Amino acid sequence: DQGRLTMLADIKLLLDTQDVTRELRRQKEQFSSCTRRLAELQKKRQTLRAALEKTEKDLEELQKLLRNGEGELKSVEQKISHLKRRATDVRTQKECQALEHELSALERKRSELDEQLLIWMDCHDQLLSQRETQKQEAREELEDITKECERLVHTREHASKLIEGLMADEKRLLERMSDEICETYLHLLEKQSLPIVVPVCDTECSGCGTTMPVAVIQELKLHDKVVLCSQCRRMVYYDK
């Protein structure tokens, strides 16, 4: 009869809609996954660039220390040379002791500066080597990141187009259902995960395994109805 044909049509629509909804959710997750990964890659790109910038800054600071240290060393050496020239003009013991004391302090200072400059130059060489290694590694990683980003953007754009089409398909299928079936489907869709439309397997709800009353099974068989499982609240039908 007409009622039975309507129920059969609704069951077919329900199953088709559920397939579309499932694929729609998969594509939305694909879209979200691509978006999350793009954000991660952007953060990684920023981290790589920040590390390079830090090394460059450390090099600049070290080069400044070297320039200042070399300038100070030159100044100390000039003072030492000047004091040694003055030594020939010293007349008294007191002046001689004062000059020797000043000369000794300057020579200690020169020795300290020489030692410090050697340490800084060693650090400078290490940083130069580190920078070159970082640049090479960063260049390779950034190339990989760029390729992955391009692939993800393409995948996300494709998912976006599919989502648009699937949403239109879902809307069209829902509009063809009876109001009661449509409302029940949408209500369940908000409450639980797919599948929400399942067949009876022998005498059990295939969604949760609950044994269904014989009278309900007979009703499903005879009239092609859709009922809610008393346990999992899925929409159950008899698959012929």
Side-chain angles (χ1 to χ4, degrees):
D1 58 15
Q2 186 62 38
R4 185 173 182 180
L5 289 174
T6 301
M7 288 306 302
L8 281 171
D10 276 340
I11 291 172
K12 177 70 166 59
L13 285 170
L14 275 171
L15 294 173
D16 289 346
T17 305
Q18 181 167 252
D19 288 341
V20 170
T21 301
R22 183 181 287 109
E23 181 60 19
L24 178 57
R25 287 188 172 183
R26 193 180 74 82
Q27 291 301 329
K28 283 182 176 180
E29 177 53 36
Q30 176 87 304
F31 185 92
S32 298
S33 176
C34 288
T35 301
R36 288 193 298 270
R37 182 58 181 159
L38 283 167
E40 290 171 3
L41 290 172
Q42 180 60 25
K43 188 176 180 180
K44 187 176 181 181
R45 181 184 281 151
Q46 291 171 350
T47 300
L48 286 170
R49 287 173 175 166
L52 284 172
E53 289 172 4
K54 183 181 183 305
T55 301
E56 289 290 348
K57 186 177 179 181
D58 290 344
L59 264 173
E60 289 174 6
E61 291 177 354
L62 197 51
Q63 287 165 352
K64 184 178 179 180
L65 286 172
L66 281 168
R67 287 194 300 271
N68 292 340
E70 287 167 353
E72 189 175 357
L73 179 62
K74 184 178 180 181
S75 175
V76 168
E77 287 175 338
Q78 288 174 344
K79 288 178 181 178
I80 289 172
S81 296
H82 177 69
L83 285 176
K84 285 181 177 179
R85 288 195 299 271
R86 276 182 53 201
T88 57
D89 299 328
V90 172
R91 295 290 182 264
T92 66
Q93 183 68 22
K94 186 176 180 180
E95 286 178 343
C96 183
Q97 288 176 346
L99 189 139
E100 286 177 353
H101 179 75
E102 188 176 354
L103 189 60
S104 177
L106 285 170
E107 286 175 342
R108 284 198 302 274
K109 181 66 174 176
R110 180 173 63 182
S111 178
E112 291 170 1
L113 285 169
D114 279 334
E115 186 177 345
Q116 185 62 64
L117 283 168
L118 285 172
I119 292 171
W120 285 339
M121 283 189 284
D122 185 51
C123 289
H124 183 263
D125 291 342
Q126 289 180 23
L127 274 176
L128 281 175
S129 176
Q130 178 182 321
R131 182 181 66 176
E132 291 311 306
T133 302
Q134 273 186 321
K135 278 185 175 180
Q136 179 60 32
E137 290 176 351
R139 189 179 300 113
E140 292 172 359
E141 286 193 64
L142 287 169
E143 286 176 0
D144 290 341
I145 286 171
T146 298
K147 289 177 183 177
E148 187 175 356
C149 282
E150 288 172 354
R151 180 184 63 79
L152 288 167
V153 167
H154 175 75
T155 301
R156 190 172 67 169
E157 287 176 351
H158 181 64
S160 180
K161 290 177 182 177
L162 288 176
I163 288 168
E164 185 178 351
L166 288 164
M167 288 178 70
D169 289 344
E170 185 183 52
K171 182 175 183 293
R172 177 178 51 79
L173 288 166
L174 289 169
E175 287 173 348
R176 291 172 57 192
M177 289 182 199
S178 62
D179 291 343
E180 182 181 357
I181 293 292
C182 179
E183 288 174 10
T184 302
Y185 179 83
L186 292 175
H187 175 75
L188 292 175
L189 204 58
E190 292 177 358
K191 300 293 183 181
Q192 58 195 65
S193 59
L194 295 172
I196 56 175
V197 185
V198 296
V200 171
C201 184
D202 292 329
T203 60
E204 297 178 350
C205 165
S206 61
C208 66
T210 298
T211 300
M212 303 188 71
V214 175
V216 173
I217 300 292
Q218 290 301 316
E219 186 76 7
L220 293 177
K221 285 183 179 180
L222 293 172
H223 303 291
D224 297 302
K225 286 188 174 181
V226 175
V227 298
L228 293 182
C229 172
S230 59
Q231 183 64 32
C232 67
R233 308 306 292 170
R234 287 182 172 91
M235 302 176 79
V236 183
Y237 68 97
Y238 187 81
D239 187 2
K240 296 179 180 181

